[in-house]
Amino acid sequence: MTKILLGLFSGIAFGFVIQRVGATSADKMARAHLMMESDIPKFMLTAVIISAVGLYGLQTAGVGRTLILPTSLVATGLAAVIFGIGWGLCGYCPGTAWAAVGEGRIDAVFAFLGGLAGAAVFAHFHEYLVPVLYDPTNFGRITLVDGIPVRPVAVFLLVAVFTGAVWAVDRLWGRRDAVR
Amino acid sequence: MEKHDKTDYWNWLPASFALAGIIVFIFATFGPPASSSGFVSLLKGILQSVAPGYVGTKAHYQMLPGPDSWVFAFVLGMAIGGFIAGRTLDIPVRDVPEIWERRFGPSRIKRYAATFIGGFLILFASRMAGGCTLGLFISGSTQLAVSGLYFGVLIFAVAMLTARLVYGNTGKEGT
């Protein structure tokens, strides 16, 4: 029960924040993809930077549980391409679509319904697709620590690269929004 | 673009701290990290009541948590959070985004068809990869997972390319 309440609380806070920063707006998301508005990508990248430092702090203190997803060269890559097409087309990702449904955007309701259909189709073909696409090129639960065994250095590298990405987005994305 | 459309949104930097605070809270309290494609647990719940035999034979549904899980409480919370945030912020909610309307006209059918297909693709892909923007890219990269970083680079690149193809120069002209 505590678990359910913690999940509910985390979800409410999460949905609230992503709505407030504008991530549930497919308009803002499309403008981000078109390099016209940099708020959302900077927000996502910076959230990773701070979370990574925070998680490192937790791990140093011996708190928290993590779950590393395996990297499958083919399945993860192919899925990312399909995901990117869907994201670019509709301007929603699964989380923002769902929070946008709560916000009352009807197009998000259709993204949600499409999502249920997509998940159902994948689930149906799971037994055929996973052995073909996922398993053969599965490198397992690899992280940067496998390449750079000193964890603080690996965290620092991630922070440095992501900070560079935020800077690049800030420079490269046109500042077309007249009003900030 | 109307003025009110922009100014009322939070600045990205404090918002990043807020989101990161929630993510770290999740790692500290529950972890397995957050995943928003967890709303497919609903699918499992529905199918379980309609066709329990089918669900029982499908490996994917065995992997998915049901509606009585942390992940489903989390996604339910996301919708509630979106609702509260939407009700307390004076930003007009549109069913057809402005940039879409400039490119494809005001037809709701066209927009809904596109988001249905888009939704299909993102969830199909999320199930294939094992997570989405949050579950795989954000949660994964935070844990230094190669899968999250690899997924992240590709989804941004492909989405940007797709948006170019979908919108052409529409965005630029209208602003």
Side-chain angles (χ1 to χ4, degrees):
Chain A
M1 193 58 204
T2 318
K3 223 177 188 183
I4 301 283
L5 287 177
L6 280 173
L8 195 66
F9 169 75
S10 310
I12 292 172
F14 202 97
F16 189 88
V17 172
I18 63 171
Q19 192 278 346
R20 275 303 148 92
V21 78
T24 56
S25 158
D27 191 73
K28 251 176 121 59
M29 195 64 92
R31 294 160 62 81
H33 288 149
L34 293 167
M35 299 177 76
M36 294 161 64
E37 219 184 283
S38 59
D39 290 3
I40 307 289
K42 284 191 292 194
F43 162 72
M44 290 170 68
L45 294 167
T46 310
V48 170
I49 295 173
I50 305 164
S51 304
V53 174
L55 178 63
Y56 176 65
L58 287 183
Q59 286 171 330
T60 311
V63 185
R65 257 162 66 205
T66 56
L67 175 73
I68 310 286
L69 292 172
T71 305
S72 164
L73 189 63
V74 172
T76 312
L78 182 64
V81 170
I82 298 172
F83 187 103
I85 295 171
W87 194 21
L89 174 64
C90 70
Y92 290 119
C93 36
T96 64
W98 186 227
V101 167
E103 199 184 357
R105 296 177 189 268
I106 308 298
D107 60 343
V109 174
F110 283 86
F112 165 70
L113 294 173
L116 287 185
V121 170
F122 185 80
H124 187 77
F125 294 108
H126 176 107
E127 285 86 340
Y128 311 99
L129 295 176
V130 168
V132 176
L133 298 175
Y134 209 106
D135 297 341
T137 53
N138 186 354
F139 290 95
R141 302 175 184 279
I142 47 173
T143 70
L144 293 183
V145 181
D146 294 308
I148 312 147
V150 189
R151 187 172 284 273
V153 177
V155 174
F156 179 79
L157 182 76
L158 180 98
V159 169
V161 170
F162 273 61
T163 305
V166 173
W167 179 82
V169 167
D170 196 57
R171 294 298 301 267
L172 295 174
W173 264 238
R175 298 185 166 275
R176 293 200 154 256
D177 19 350
V179 187
R180 293 217 120 226
Chain B
M1 272 261 121
E2 275 79 41
K3 292 159 233 90
H4 56 71
D5 212 308
K6 292 276 154 60
T7 42
D8 296 335
Y9 284 122
W10 285 358
N11 182 282
W12 62 274
L13 190 56
S16 312
F17 275 90
L19 195 82
I22 298 163
I23 292 170
V24 173
F25 174 80
I26 292 170
F27 275 113
T29 53
F30 177 68
S35 169
S36 32
S37 51
F39 76 66
V40 293
S41 295
L42 185 66
L43 186 67
K44 181 180 179 179
I46 296 168
L47 284 177
Q48 218 150 27
S49 56
V50 184
Y54 175 74
V55 171
T57 58
K58 285 290 167 192
H60 202 72
Y61 291 114
Q62 306 309 311
M63 290 167 43
L64 281 179
D68 55 343
S69 57
W70 180 92
V71 123
F72 190 68
F74 177 76
V75 287
L76 199 63
M78 280 182 88
I80 299 170
F83 175 79
I84 297 171
R87 285 298 163 279
T88 52
L89 181 65
D90 191 23
I91 285 178
V93 170
R94 303 172 56 114
D95 297 334
V96 180
E98 197 169 4
I99 190 169
W100 179 275
E101 192 174 311
R102 279 208 299 275
R103 172 74 161 157
F104 299 103
S107 163
R108 280 161 193 265
I109 305 291
K110 234 189 241 180
R111 172 64 184 166
Y112 296 168
T115 52
F116 185 88
I117 295 166
F120 185 99
L121 295 175
I122 56 178
L123 261 302
F124 182 88
S126 295
R127 292 339 298 162
M128 185 194 282
C132 56
T133 325
L134 171 60
L136 190 51
F137 170 61
I138 295 183
S139 304
S141 303
T142 295
Q143 303 171 80
L144 311 175
V146 173
S147 52
L149 297 164
Y150 175 45
F151 189 75
V153 167
L154 279 174
I155 59 172
F156 275 105
V158 176
M160 286 169 67
L161 208 66
T162 308
R164 299 252 152 192
L165 295 173
V166 170
Y167 293 105
N169 285 319
T170 317
K172 300 243 149 91
E173 285 159 16
T175 332

